[in-house]
Amino acid sequence: MVNLQGEHIRLRALEPTDLDFLYELENNTDLWEISGTITPYSKHVLKLYLDNAHRDIYDVKQLRLCIVKENKVVGLIDLFDFDPQNKRVGVGIVVLDDKERNKGIGTEAVSLLTDYVFQVLGLRQLYANVLEENAASLYLFKKLGFVEVGIKKDWIFSNGMFKNEILLQKIKA
């Protein structure tokens, strides 16, 4: 049985009490280039999203989980573009507070989610899209066995310039 509880963090479903955290994260313009966001979200819209967050991954093709450390939400980890036919899904992660980064939270969260994807969902592969300049995320995914399989040239347009995005995959052994 897969456990979404690690040594230092746990992953859990979104709750209505996560509204303020979600509002802060989704309206953080520093994160917009990786999320594809171009406009702010209202609390009302985010509340509607939370009201529907219980929907099944097979229905909405995505799953968002909170990363919780010492009973405090410190980040989110997402599965997106869920494709059960081809047995794959994308993964994205963000730890909001800079002070919580580079402390193993991301490693533990991605490891827990990888076990869930392979064992519970029965998928064959995970993939991640990481900006070429994001050395910390590239290091995280490569450390966990993701392999760089391609470069999407000029993929993200941000702050008046195009940026490359690296595609990484982890295929179940």
Side-chain angles (χ1 to χ4, degrees):
M1 177 74 183
V2 170
N3 187 355
L4 295 176
Q5 173 77 46
E7 187 176 341
H8 304 287
I9 60 111
R10 68 184 169 94
L11 305 179
R12 67 156 172 80
L14 290 166
E15 298 285 351
T17 55
D18 297 322
L19 180 61
D20 289 336
F21 180 84
L22 200 57
Y23 182 78
E24 179 182 357
L25 184 132
E26 293 292 357
N27 289 298
N28 182 334
T29 57
D30 292 338
L31 301 174
W32 283 8
E33 75 178 356
I34 61 170
S35 68
T37 301
I38 57 172
T39 58
Y41 284 94
S42 69
K43 281 193 175 181
H44 173 73
V45 166
L46 292 171
K47 184 182 177 316
L48 293 174
Y49 170 77
L50 285 172
D51 290 345
N52 287 288
H54 67 280
R55 293 177 61 198
D56 188 82
I57 189 171
Y58 285 89
D59 178 29
V60 295
K61 307 298 183 215
Q62 64 183 14
L63 174 66
R64 176 170 272 185
L65 298 171
C66 291
I67 303 168
V68 180
K69 178 184 172 190
E70 299 171 356
N71 293 317
K72 179 184 176 204
V73 177
V74 295
L76 296 175
I77 190 162
D78 296 335
L79 294 177
F80 61 90
D81 293 342
F82 176 60
D83 184 348
Q85 170 71 30
N86 294 298
K87 299 196 174 293
R88 67 177 173 241
V89 70
V91 59
I93 183 170
V94 63
V95 175
L96 188 57
D97 186 348
D98 289 344
K99 292 180 233 125
E100 293 292 346
R101 294 182 186 158
N102 300 309
K103 292 185 175 181
I105 292 170
T107 300
E108 199 168 345
V110 173
S111 293
L112 291 169
L113 197 65
T114 298
D115 290 345
Y116 173 80
V117 164
F118 290 158
Q119 295 175 33
V120 176
L121 296 179
L123 301 184
R124 184 165 186 266
Q125 68 175 285
L126 272 162
Y127 66 90
N129 303 303
V130 179
L131 286 175
E132 188 174 53
E133 65 199 35
N134 189 341
S137 286
L138 289 170
Y139 176 79
L140 164 70
F141 285 106
K142 288 177 180 181
K143 175 172 73 169
L144 293 172
F146 284 72
V147 176
E148 184 177 323
V149 295
I151 299 174
K152 300 180 212 172
K153 298 282 187 183
D154 294 343
W155 199 255
I156 301 294
F157 185 73
S158 178
N159 297 321
M161 60 188 288
F162 284 98
K163 297 180 180 184
N164 296 339
E165 189 172 77
I166 307 295
L167 174 61
L168 301 115
Q169 286 178 297
K170 181 168 185 169
I171 298 177
K172 183 177 177 183

